């Protein structure tokens, strides 16, 4: 055991002559890097050799690799999920894409269930992946009423269409509305074919008399209960979102493709539309994630780039949470990309259920990668992610491509190295003047 260093106050009260402590003959403080890392967290050996190469450990030197499943098996992580935060242009998407690209080379599969900027297509082309582009006038459709072949297909559909309706209406559903939706869905499920939204809207406006009576209601009362729902869903049948979700799915998600991207860039800037699309896509994604369906045991990344745009809706947060629970059972690693942690506050007032769910998603990310943060975000980031003072002080100075990787028992400052052939990371070309 080594002796303690004198505190600053003790030093100040020493006579000038003996103020520097080495002449006192105090032994140098020695400890293993594991012990020292509690005081100065970057002093840990780099985790070389684990996972796909990311770049260099900026402080310790040497290569840095990452593989959430490998680290989980070694007991370094309590779950494989990752949150990545950083200001615009810090290099978040570049890191996510390289992680995807290099993981695919190592036999993993990657799903991007919502790409609002349409910037993942280049990578998909590179690896022979699939891009499904959703947008007005485009041929692709996703049917939110598809259900994976589970025992609870009805419940599954009900939860998804409930979330879509809540997002479309901008509020939670009332109990009577839930019953109306339940009954309408049961009605359209009676047919043998897979139900679609136009049929559901029809069933909401013309409910079944017997079914209503069973719930102690008249047909008119049930119709009234379903009125707002039908209005909300009509937006997806005849309104600005028509032609996207109102028919059978055109492109079933191929579980064997190395990379599948749902390109939502044609939906424009509206967050509602994005959130609805994401919720619709969750069924598509879940169907592919089911074991047995995939015919493969490959580990899979699900990457939510620009996740902050999706996470403003309580209904979406709830879907994400359900999906993460499923992911845990299936060995999927989720990567959530945000600008700043205060993005998550937009989902509801303090103390609300949605806020708690968002905090839960964050807590469920064992690996936290923090790129540059604006100075007004430092305290919030440090508090939410459990950063130490030296870690926090580092954040405003981080250059592009360099981030703090905080794992439960170690942290690293890593500079992500991009190979010249990894041109798919470039999102800046529009800003540059090309050489003639
Ligand atoms: N590690 C890196 N090395 C070199 N260039 C990088 C690196 N990370 C990002 N870039 C470049 O910076 C630009 C912005 O990066 P991007 O990943 O799109 O930022 P963000 O997603 O954080 O907004 C891209 O053109 C990308 O090529
Ligand atoms: Mg980005």
């Amino acid at each position: 055991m080594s002796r303690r260093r004198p505190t600053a106050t003790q030093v100040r009260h020493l006579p000038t002559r003996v103020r520097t402590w080495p002449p006192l003959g105090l032994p140098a403080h020695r400890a293993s890097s594991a012990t020292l890392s509690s005081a100065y967290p970057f002093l840990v050996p780099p985790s070389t050799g684990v996972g796909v190469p990311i770049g260099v450990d900026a402080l310790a030197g040497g290569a840095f690799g990452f593989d959430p499943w490998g680290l989980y098996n070694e007991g370094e992580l309590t779950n494989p999920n990752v949150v990545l935060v950083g200001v615009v242009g810090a290099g978040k998407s570049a890191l996510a894409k390289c992680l995807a690209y290099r993981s695919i080379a190592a036999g993993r599969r990657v799903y991007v269930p919502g790409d609002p900027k349409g910037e993942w297509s280049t990578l998909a082309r590179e690896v022979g992946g699939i891009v499904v582009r959703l947008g007005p006038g485009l041929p692709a459709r996703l049917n939110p009423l598809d259900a994976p072949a589970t025992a609870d297909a009805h419940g599954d559909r009900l939860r998804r269409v409930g979330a879509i309706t809540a997002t479309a209406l901008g509020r939670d559903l009332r109990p009577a509305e839930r019953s109306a939706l339940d009954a309408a869905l049961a009605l359209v499920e009676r047919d043998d074919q897979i139900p679609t939204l136009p049929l559901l809207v029809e069933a909401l406006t013309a409910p079944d008399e017997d079914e209503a009576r069973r719930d102690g209601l008249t047909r008119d009362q049930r119709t009234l209960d379903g009125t707002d729902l039908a209005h909300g869903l009509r937006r997806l049948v005849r309104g600005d979102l028509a032609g996207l979700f109102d028919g059978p799915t055109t492109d079933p998600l191929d579980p064997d493709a190395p990379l599948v991207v749902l390109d939502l860039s044609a939906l424009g800037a509206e967050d509602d539309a994005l959130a609805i699309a994401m919720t619709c896509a969750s069924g598509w994604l879940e169907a592919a994630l089911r074991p047995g369906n995939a015919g493969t045991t490959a580990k899979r990344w699900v990457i939510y780039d620009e996740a902050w745009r999706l996470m403003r809706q309580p209904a979406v947060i709830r879907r994400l949470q359900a999906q993460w629970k499923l992911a845990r059972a299936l060995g999927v690693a989720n990567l959530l990309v945000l600008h700043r942690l205060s993005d998550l506050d937009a989902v509801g007032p303090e103390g609300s259920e949605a806020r708690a769910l968002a905090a839960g998603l964050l807590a469920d990310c064992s690996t936290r990668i923090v790129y540059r943060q604006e100075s007004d975000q430092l305290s919030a980031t440090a508090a939410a992610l459990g950063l130490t003072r030296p870690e926090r002080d580092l954040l405003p100075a981080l250059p592009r491509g360099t981030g703090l990787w905080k794992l439960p028992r170690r942290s690293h400052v890593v500079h992500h190295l991009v190979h010249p052939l990894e041109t798919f990371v470039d999102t800046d070309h529009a800003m540059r003047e090309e050489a003639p």
Side-chain angles (χ1 to χ4, degrees):
M1 241 184 69
S2 37
R3 235 179 296 165
R4 279 239 215 105
R5 256 182 91 163
T7 64
T9 332
Q10 284 166 336
V11 169
R12 218 175 302 125
H13 290 96
L14 288 173
T16 336
R17 244 172 339 113
V18 290
R19 195 168 283 173
T20 51
W21 61 275
L24 285 176
L26 293 176
H29 183 95
R30 266 166 188 261
S32 72
S33 52
T35 310
L36 271 178
S37 71
S38 65
Y40 201 72
F42 311 121
L43 287 177
V44 286
S47 59
T48 46
V50 179
V52 298
I54 300 293
V56 289
D57 192 312
L59 297 176
F64 180 87
F66 184 71
D67 177 65
W69 299 279
L71 290 166
Y72 180 84
N73 288 335
E74 284 179 10
E76 288 281 348
L77 300 177
T78 48
N79 62 61
N81 302 323
V82 180
V83 62
L84 167 56
V85 284
V87 296
V88 178
K92 303 179 299 295
S93 299
L95 176 64
K97 287 170 196 160
C98 286
L99 195 60
Y101 181 63
R102 299 169 192 178
S103 299
I104 289 167
R108 314 292 194 205
R109 307 253 194 281
V110 180
Y111 299 148
V112 181
D115 171 19
K117 288 177 159 181
E119 52 174 292
W120 281 76
S121 313
T122 330
L123 176 57
R125 233 173 286 130
E126 184 95 13
V127 298
I130 296 172
V131 180
V132 176
R133 270 197 95 201
L134 268 189
L138 295 171
R141 271 191 174 78
L142 282 189
N143 182 5
L145 298 178
D146 279 344
T150 55
D152 187 25
H154 175 78
D156 214 83
R157 289 193 182 110
L158 186 61
R159 280 186 288 276
R160 192 167 321 114
V161 80
I164 294 165
T165 321
T167 308
L169 292 175
R171 63 166 174 84
D172 280 336
L173 304 189
R174 295 194 305 269
E177 290 177 326
R178 279 197 183 282
S179 308
L181 194 59
D182 193 351
L185 188 60
L187 191 62
V188 295
E189 279 172 339
R190 270 192 219 160
D191 284 339
D192 275 345
Q193 74 228 56
I194 299 174
T196 55
L197 284 184
L199 294 175
L200 185 67
V201 172
E202 217 177 280
L204 280 166
T205 41
D208 185 60
E209 181 121 39
D210 295 339
E211 188 97 33
R213 209 173 305 126
R214 221 169 295 139
D215 287 347
L217 299 170
T218 64
R219 193 163 183 266
D220 287 349
Q221 283 169 317
R222 172 106 319 148
T223 312
L224 210 59
D225 289 340
T227 306
D228 276 5
L229 306 179
H231 281 305
L233 289 176
R234 232 176 246 127
R235 184 171 168 205
L236 284 75
V237 175
R238 272 195 262 137
D240 56 331
L241 296 178
L244 309 176
F245 311 109
D246 50 1
T249 298
T250 49
D251 303 73
L253 198 152
D254 174 4
D256 285 325
L259 172 64
V260 180
V261 177
L262 180 64
D263 181 339
L264 300 178
S265 56
L267 284 184
E270 220 188 310
D271 289 338
D272 264 29
L274 270 185
I276 290 173
M278 274 288 301
T279 315
C280 292
S282 69
W284 186 66
L285 182 67
E286 280 161 28
L289 291 178
R290 299 266 162 194
N293 239 349
T296 165
T297 51
K299 298 271 185 281
R300 282 163 288 181
W301 276 108
V302 177
I303 299 181
Y304 300 91
D305 201 352
E306 301 281 309
W308 59 278
R309 285 189 62 185
L310 308 167
M311 298 186 70
R312 296 185 185 166
Q313 311 276 356
V316 176
I317 297 262
R318 255 175 249 136
R319 287 305 306 162
L320 274 181
Q321 202 228 8
Q323 218 159 292
W324 282 35
K325 260 198 213 137
L326 180 72
R328 184 185 281 272
L330 299 177
V332 169
N334 294 289
L335 169 59
L336 205 56
V337 183
L338 305 169
H339 285 163
R340 46 183 176 253
L341 293 166
S342 52
D343 287 341
L344 295 181
D345 297 350
V347 75
E350 187 139 25
S352 61
E353 179 227 358
R355 268 276 195 83
L357 286 176
L361 280 182
L362 200 61
D364 228 357
C365 293
S366 237
T367 304
R368 288 102 191 253
I369 309 171
V370 194
Y371 273 28
R372 193 160 77 73
Q373 290 283 279
E374 298 297 359
S375 46
D376 63 344
Q377 295 293 320
L378 296 179
S379 308
T381 308
L385 298 181
L387 306 186
T388 64
R389 186 76 203 204
E391 287 172 338
R392 176 203 133 131
D393 291 347
L394 191 81
L395 302 182
L398 289 172
R400 168 183 279 184
T402 302
L404 166 73
W405 288 60
K406 173 107 178 149
L407 278 61
R409 291 191 299 181
R410 45 166 77 220
S411 51
H412 300 269
V413 177
V414 177
H415 181 65
H416 165 217
L417 288 178
V418 180
H419 191 275
L421 288 177
E422 292 175 317
T423 48
F424 49 79
V425 303
D426 189 8
T427 52
D428 260 359
H429 50 272
M431 298 293 287
R432 277 191 304 269
E433 275 188 78
E434 299 297 340

